[in-house]
Amino acid sequence: MHSRTHPLIAMLLVDCKAPGDAAEREFWQQIESARAPLVEPIDSSHSWVTFIYRLDAGQHHSCVRGIALSPAHSLLPRIGNSNVAAATFRIRNDRRFGYDFVADVPLVDPVTASPAERRALGAHMATHAPQPDRYAARSCVAQFGSASHSEFEMPAAEPQPHFSTDASTRLQEVLPADVGLKTDRPISVYQPSATDSVHPLPTVYVISADGY
């Protein structure tokens, strides 16, 4: 990660003299048009993917969840004098994943962090709800914390029924706490168009994660 700078980010570094100035406003207009994240092909198997977050007043950086397990490895630093936080990651072209952002999260590795650092990380996550990408094209029900998160499909990802134009059905359901969970959990159920009440599905896949 961070070994590539997208041309729009490089231009912003040079042109932006103060938060919210004309150069930054033009940048956000471009992102609104192009949508996010920004993808640049590397080869047939990987691409550079640039994630972008708009910092609110008083915020210093952000992290993107769904790319790496550690906040320290998913950092989106502030870009120059702007309110833009961004970073570029090398991602496989066959991936499909969910992601969201958490601002000013402590930059620690949960595996190697001290007990005090883990407590600080947990306290921050308990009081700062993850935010979906406001410039993403798609969102869905999130598992952890936020009401929704963003989802992204790389260029060579295998097709899925709920992203196609057929008559597949997407149902928003609730998995009740009495099945063994501590709380009710919102879930998404995708029913392919070829199924009916007479011929049940041969296999049901359950994915317990935000990114897959």
Side-chain angles (χ1 to χ4, degrees), residues 116-132:
E117 289 173 328
R118 286 196 291 271
R119 286 194 296 271
L121 177 60
H124 185 91
M125 295 301 298
T127 56
H128 295 74
Q131 301 297 314

Side-chain angles (χ1 to χ4, degrees), residues 98-100 132 138-143 146-151 210-211:
Y99 69 99
D100 50 30
R138 286 192 291 263
S139 63
C140 64
V141 172
Q143 184 181 12
S146 58
S148 67
H149 70 180
S150 303
E151 53 188 25
D210 276 350

